[in-house]
Amino acid sequence: TGTLSGVTPPVGAVINTDLAVRFRISTDMAAVMSPSGGAPDGEVEDYLIQVMAFDYGDLVDAGAGTGEQDYETQSANGGPVHKIITDNMGNVTLKIGSLIDDELDGQQSDDADGDGDDEDGFDPGAQMFETTVSQDITVPVMNMTGGDAKLTMYVDWNNDGVFEDMYSVTVPNNATEATLASVTPPVTSALNEDVGVRFRLTTSTVMDPNGPAPDGEVEDYEIMVMGYDYGDLADAGAGTGVQDYETESANGGPRHKIVTDDMGNVTLKIGALIDDEADGQASDDADGDGDDEDGFDPTAQMFVTTVAQDIDVLVMNMTGGDAKLTMYVDWNNDGVFEDMYSVTVPNNATEATLAAVTPPLTTALNQDIGVRFR
């Protein structure tokens, strides 16, 4: 018995095709240095072998198990692996994007970029994700297998290392793109943080985010989800009027991106609570946003024409710099905010006071009128 050590198919080896292998044994050392020619003794044996190549993911993988920014990517942790399949001419017949290459194992990396140019089916920088906002994701693919394949997208919206949502679509033979419909970040999404996304394309009918697949490709990415806060004053449509304010996005309503620190904690808000919405929550009593509206209590405040008073508002500013709180009031109830009052909110502040808020003589008396804080 003899052992030939270090036999390694090179990166450029032709895959999935019969390749010739020749073994020679002889006491004539010079004779067996060539695959051809005579030898005084020994034996020659010929075989056909095939070289296989596999594609792996590249999301971060700190070890066994999952957690925040810790996915199952490496083979030792059950990570995804796809056999690269080819036709008789050596052309790949099932892939995501235009490029595919083979690896020995998962290329785990902090930014899911360990696999280099191979990850070219999806551009996370060109896609904006907002909580509760549905969108279709179109992915370039190639299926020349002669039958259907399936493209699946897995997303870890809450950044706990587990892909809780999946979206899939059939990819028919000869298809060059596939669209995953209604990809919608839930309100429980981790905001302003990198979260893992995994795409898998295969002819297999059952597909998990991890484990082996008989063919196709896996591509990993990281995306960021944003959440926005909207107002909830009444909005009957375009324009303004009595009890009709610009609240909905279609009418130019206000929208604030919710900002967070590295731990996911909100750093700038009014009151104790804040939540994200898909659009303005227009409502007759300005209560469509529920408990989120908790920075000011209108029932505890009495307004009298020409009487100035200071308005205390609960806030939180942990941004590291100054912010500004502004109060807009529609005193005459025509849908237009004619007065505004503002105050600087320094870093670490938990309360802000708007000074000398004074209803004018032209105020609409004994009517609900709109107030907006930003």
Side-chain angles (χ1 to χ4, degrees):
T1 300
T3 300
L4 297 162
S5 60
V7 178
T8 307
V11 172
V14 177
I15 61 174
N16 308 318
T17 301
D18 286 339
L19 304 176
V21 175
R22 174 164 289 161
F23 294 88
R24 302 187 73 181
I25 186 170
S26 173
T27 60
D28 186 337
M29 303 304 175
V32 295
M33 291 302 291
S34 171
S36 305
D41 51 22
E43 185 181 4
V44 56
E45 291 190 359
D46 287 345
Y47 298 90
L48 291 175
I49 63 168
Q50 288 196 1
V51 176
M52 294 181 289
F54 295 89
D55 181 64
Y56 293 80
D58 61 1
L59 274 168
V60 63
D61 185 354
T66 58
E68 181 178 339
Q69 282 297 289
D70 182 9
Y71 299 90
E72 293 166 325
T73 299
Q74 302 299 106
S75 293
N77 301 322
V81 54
H82 289 242
K83 181 182 177 183
I84 299 173
I85 58 170
T86 55
D87 61 18
N88 293 333
M89 300 296 293
N91 302 305
V92 175
T93 57
L94 188 63
K95 61 183 178 179
I96 300 170
S98 59
L99 302 175
I100 186 172
D101 57 27
D102 56 290
E103 302 94 32
L104 293 177
D105 203 342
Q107 304 297 295
Q108 75 89 22
S109 51
D110 289 342
D111 297 321
D113 58 1
D115 206 357
D117 294 337
D118 177 28
E119 310 288 274
D120 65 342
F122 173 69
D123 183 359
Q127 212 84 35
M128 186 169 71
F129 292 91
E130 298 179 29
T131 54
T132 75
V133 176
S134 176
Q135 62 180 307
D136 297 343
I137 305 294
T138 299
V139 180
V141 297
M142 187 182 75
N143 177 15
M144 304 293 286
T145 63
D148 287 345
K150 184 170 76 170
L151 175 70
T152 306
M153 175 186 185
Y154 305 88
V155 192
D156 173 25
W157 294 122
N158 65 359
N159 196 20
D160 65 352
V162 178
F163 295 105
E164 52 269 354
D165 266 9
M166 60 176 281
Y167 309 84
S168 62
V169 62
T170 297
V171 181
N173 188 49
N174 294 324
T176 56
E177 69 176 23
T179 299
L180 297 151
S182 303
V183 176
T184 310
V187 292
T188 55
S189 297
L191 301 181
N192 311 313
E193 301 178 21
D194 288 331
V195 299
V197 175
R198 176 164 287 161
F199 293 88
R200 302 190 75 177
L201 176 66
T202 180
T203 60
S204 175
T205 56
V206 179
M207 179 56 57
D208 295 320
N210 304 308
D215 48 30
E217 185 179 3
V218 54
E219 290 192 358
D220 288 345
Y221 298 91
E222 288 196 330
I223 63 171
M224 191 171 288
V225 180
M226 294 177 288
Y228 290 88
D229 181 64
Y230 293 79
D232 61 0
L233 277 168
D235 187 354
T240 58
V242 176
Q243 284 297 290
D244 181 10
Y245 299 90
E246 293 166 326
T247 298
E248 303 292 308
S249 292
N251 303 320
R255 183 178 84 159
H256 289 243
K257 181 181 177 182
I258 300 173
V259 293
T260 56
D261 61 19
D262 292 338
M263 300 298 293
N265 302 305
V266 175
T267 57
L268 189 63
K269 61 184 177 179
I270 301 171
L273 303 176
I274 186 171
D275 57 29
D276 51 299
E277 302 95 29
D279 203 341
Q281 306 297 295
S283 51
D284 290 342
D285 297 322
D287 58 0
D289 206 359
D291 294 337
D292 177 28
E293 311 286 280
D294 64 343
F296 170 71
D297 183 359
T299 64
Q301 212 85 33
M302 185 171 70
F303 293 91
V304 180
T305 55
T306 71
V307 176
Q309 61 179 307
D310 296 343
I311 304 295
D312 295 325
V313 182
L314 300 176
V315 297
M316 186 183 78
N317 177 15
M318 304 292 286
T319 62
D322 287 345
K324 184 169 79 168
L325 174 70
T326 305
M327 175 186 183
Y328 305 86
V329 191
D330 173 25
W331 293 122
N332 65 359
N333 198 17
D334 64 351
V336 177
F337 296 107
E338 52 268 356
D339 266 7
M340 61 177 280
Y341 310 84
S342 63
V343 62
T344 297
V345 180
N347 188 50
N348 294 324
T350 57
E351 186 176 81
T353 299
L354 296 153
V357 176
T358 310
L361 287 172
T362 55
T363 298
L365 302 179
N366 307 312
Q367 301 175 28
D368 287 333
I369 59 177
V371 176
R372 177 164 287 159
F373 293 89
R374 301 189 74 178

Coordinates of all heavy atoms in Angstrom, one line a residue, residues 21 23 77 79 86 102 113 145 149 152 168 179 210 228 232 268 290 306:
V21 N -7.2 9.7 -15.1 CA -6.2 9.5 -14.0 C -5.4 8.3 -14.4 O -5.9 7.3 -14.7 CB -6.8 9.4 -12.6 CG1 -5.7 9.1 -11.6 CG2 -7.6 10.6 -12.3
F23 N -2.2 5.7 -13.0 CA -1.2 5.3 -12.0 C -0.1 4.4 -12.6 O -0.5 3.5 -13.4 CB -1.9 4.5 -10.9 CG -2.9 5.3 -10.0 CD1 -4.2 5.4 -10.4 CD2 -2.5 5.9 -8.9 CE1 -5.1 6.1 -9.7 CE2 -3.4 6.6 -8.1 CZ -4.7 6.7 -8.5
N77 N -20.8 23.9 11.7 CA -22.0 24.4 12.3 C -23.3 24.2 11.5 O -24.3 24.8 11.8 CB -21.9 25.9 12.7 CG -20.6 26.1 13.6 OD1 -20.4 25.3 14.5 ND2 -19.9 27.2 13.3
G79 N -23.7 24.8 8.3 CA -24.0 25.9 7.3 C -24.4 25.4 5.9 O -24.2 24.2 5.6
T86 N -23.0 21.6 -13.8 CA -22.6 22.1 -15.1 C -23.2 21.2 -16.2 O -23.6 20.1 -15.9 CB -21.1 22.1 -15.2 OG1 -20.6 20.8 -15.0 CG2 -20.4 23.1 -14.3
D102 N -16.2 28.3 -6.2 CA -16.2 27.2 -5.2 C -15.3 27.5 -4.1 O -14.3 28.2 -4.2 CB -15.9 25.9 -5.9 CG -14.5 25.9 -6.6 OD1 -14.4 26.6 -7.6 OD2 -13.6 25.3 -6.1
D113 N -19.0 39.6 3.4 CA -18.3 39.9 2.1 C -17.1 39.0 1.9 O -16.3 39.3 1.0 CB -17.9 41.4 2.0 CG -17.0 41.8 3.2 OD1 -16.7 40.9 4.0 OD2 -16.6 43.0 3.2
T145 N -31.4 24.1 -16.1 CA -31.4 22.7 -15.7 C -32.3 21.8 -16.5 O -32.3 20.6 -16.5 CB -31.7 22.5 -14.2 OG1 -33.0 23.0 -14.0 CG2 -30.7 23.3 -13.4
A149 N -36.7 25.3 -10.6 CA -35.9 25.4 -9.4 C -36.7 26.3 -8.5 O -37.7 26.8 -8.8 CB -34.5 26.0 -9.7
T152 N -35.2 31.0 -2.6 CA -35.7 31.3 -1.3 C -34.8 32.4 -0.6 O -33.6 32.3 -0.7 CB -35.8 30.1 -0.4 OG1 -36.5 29.1 -1.0 CG2 -36.4 30.4 0.9
S168 N -40.3 32.7 -1.0 CA -39.8 31.9 -2.0 C -40.6 32.1 -3.3 O -41.7 32.5 -3.3 CB -39.8 30.4 -1.6 OG -41.1 30.0 -1.3
T179 N -38.6 37.1 -8.9 CA -39.1 38.2 -8.1 C -39.8 37.6 -6.8 O -40.7 36.8 -6.9 CB -40.1 39.1 -8.8 OG1 -39.5 39.7 -9.9 CG2 -40.6 40.2 -7.9
N210 N -30.1 26.4 6.3 CA -28.8 25.7 6.5 C -28.8 24.3 5.9 O -29.8 23.8 5.4 CB -28.5 25.6 8.0 CG -28.6 27.0 8.7 OD1 -27.9 27.9 8.3 ND2 -29.4 27.1 9.8
Y228 N -39.9 54.5 10.9 CA -40.3 55.9 10.9 C -41.5 56.2 11.7 O -42.4 55.3 11.8 CB -40.5 56.4 9.4 CG -39.3 56.4 8.6 CD1 -38.9 55.3 7.9 CD2 -38.6 57.6 8.4 CE1 -37.7 55.3 7.1 CE2 -37.4 57.6 7.7 CZ -37.0 56.5 7.0 OH -35.9 56.5 6.2
D232 N -50.6 61.9 13.6 CA -51.9 61.3 13.5 C -53.1 62.3 13.6 O -54.2 61.9 13.9 CB -52.1 60.2 14.6 CG -51.9 60.8 16.0 OD1 -51.7 62.0 16.2 OD2 -52.0 59.9 17.0
L268 N -33.5 59.5 20.6 CA -34.1 60.8 20.4 C -35.6 60.6 20.3 O -36.1 60.0 19.3 CB -33.6 61.6 19.2 CG -34.0 63.1 19.1 CD1 -33.5 63.9 20.3 CD2 -33.5 63.6 17.8
G290 N -52.0 55.9 19.2 CA -52.1 55.2 20.4 C -51.2 55.7 21.5 O -51.0 56.9 21.6
T306 N -54.8 85.2 24.8 CA -53.9 86.3 25.2 C -53.1 85.9 26.5 O -52.3 86.7 27.0 CB -54.6 87.6 25.4 OG1 -55.4 87.6 26.6 CG2 -55.4 88.1 24.2

